[in-house]
Amino acid sequence: MSKDMTISVEPCEQVYAATGLLAALPPRRNGATLYVCDFDNTVATEDVGDRILERFGGPDWIDWSLRYRRGEIGSRECLTRQYESFRADWDAYRRFVEEYELDPDFPRFLAAVRARGHRVIVVSDGVGNYISILFEKYGIAGVPVFSNYGVWNGDGRVRLQFPHFQPACEVGCANCKFRHVRLDGSGRKVYIGDGVSDQYGAQAADVIYAKDRLRDFLAARGVPHTAFSRFADVIVAEGLED
Ligand SMILES: [Mg+2]
């Protein structure tokens, strides 16, 4: 993957144009909004995926992350390398994850969006088994989550699954976030995220709320976006207050 490929969504568009999926898309439904939320450091107050690797991964996990952030490898390769040395008993993993928190206003955001007949989905390029653990902790149900997953072997090792990988794409994202945004038929699409893995998915949306690395990325390339730091900001900006 060359540096230039991180500049636009052109490679993503080309991949899906070649599959014929874009030409076959039905007209976008007016009135309905799709809110696409990244999970780590967006819905969750921290990067839970990184904290898990820090605790249960090998010492080189951060080196792979840095290579990924520099655009040298895709996230699928990054996760695959990082999880080669991952060892965690499921119960210990679960207890560790349960200590983390969601943005305190995410449940209010979710309720307000649903009350207006709109939708929320979560897209994560982590190994997202922890998402359902945290949603359960907060009593959140019925939010579609698109993520990579791990299957626990008896010895604490994890076999990774990438159900949303796009093999025809050269970028190498483990979970193609672009697909979840671009191929949805909602009339208006809003993206909320913070990181490198959000750069393509965000640019397929009509409105972007960005912080941290995603904000820097978009600002450097002149892509219009709104800065945010927490869901309370999104609630106000989207007029979702009660
Ligand atoms: Mg994130």
Side-chain angles (χ1 to χ4, degrees):
M1 158 170 143
S2 76
K3 273 266 184 296
D4 288 351
M5 292 186 67
T6 60
I7 291 174
S8 77
V9 290
E10 203 54 43
C12 316
E13 282 284 340
Q14 284 170 6
V15 164
Y16 288 99
T19 62
L21 285 169
L22 296 183
L25 277 181
R28 287 168 62 170
R29 294 190 301 275
N30 289 329
T33 297
L34 175 72
Y35 290 91
V36 183
C37 306
D38 166 58
F39 188 78
D40 284 303
N41 197 36
T42 300
V43 173
T45 56
E46 289 197 48
D47 195 316
V48 182
D50 278 0
R51 300 291 77 75
I52 287 168
L53 286 166
E54 213 166 56
R55 171 67 182 80
F56 299 109
D60 60 347
W61 76 271
I62 188 68
D63 301 321
W64 292 111
S65 284
L66 292 173
R67 287 190 64 182
Y68 164 63
R69 283 181 204 161
R70 290 194 297 264
E72 295 168 13
I73 56 171
S75 58
R76 180 176 169 138
E77 183 179 353
C78 180
L79 291 171
T80 301
R81 299 289 192 169
Q82 288 172 322
Y83 273 79
E84 280 170 5
S85 48
F86 175 93
R87 300 287 184 277
D89 170 74
W90 171 256
D91 291 334
Y93 172 90
R94 188 181 179 91
R95 282 195 302 274
F96 182 80
V97 168
E98 281 171 344
E99 296 299 313
Y100 288 92
E101 287 169 7
L102 302 187
D103 181 305
D105 294 303
F106 181 73
R108 187 160 67 89
F109 164 79
L110 183 60
V113 168
R114 285 172 162 171
R116 287 160 178 78
H118 303 310
R119 290 185 298 138
V120 173
I121 64 170
V122 167
V123 294
S124 170
D125 211 5
V127 180
N129 301 63
Y130 49 89
I131 297 173
S132 56
I133 295 173
L134 285 170
F135 275 180
E136 206 175 301
K137 171 179 169 179
Y138 282 81
I140 292 171
V143 178
V145 175
F146 301 96
S147 180
N148 314 298
Y149 290 99
V151 177
W152 257 251
N153 294 336
D155 58 0
R157 293 171 196 243
V158 164
R159 182 164 41 85
L160 299 185
Q161 295 190 328
F162 304 105
H164 311 293
F165 177 64
Q166 174 48 264
C169 180
E170 292 177 46
V171 178
C173 301
N175 173 17
C176 178
K177 293 188 176 186
F178 176 85
R179 178 192 180 109
H180 307 302
V181 183
R182 185 69 171 85
L183 300 188
D184 186 90
S186 297
R188 177 172 176 264
K189 300 170 189 178
V190 176
Y191 198 97
I192 305 157
D194 79 301
V196 174
S197 76
D198 300 306
Q199 60 194 34
Y200 300 106
Q203 291 183 82
D206 304 299
V207 174
I208 308 172
Y209 293 95
K211 62 178 173 178
D212 300 345
R213 287 191 188 89
L214 178 63
R215 185 184 175 192
D216 295 344
F217 172 88
L218 297 172
R221 287 156 182 81
V223 179
H225 63 278
T226 300
F228 86 108
S229 61
R230 29 185 314 192
F231 270 90
D233 304 331
V234 180
I235 289 170
V236 172
E238 286 290 304
L240 294 169
E241 295 145 302
D242 293 330

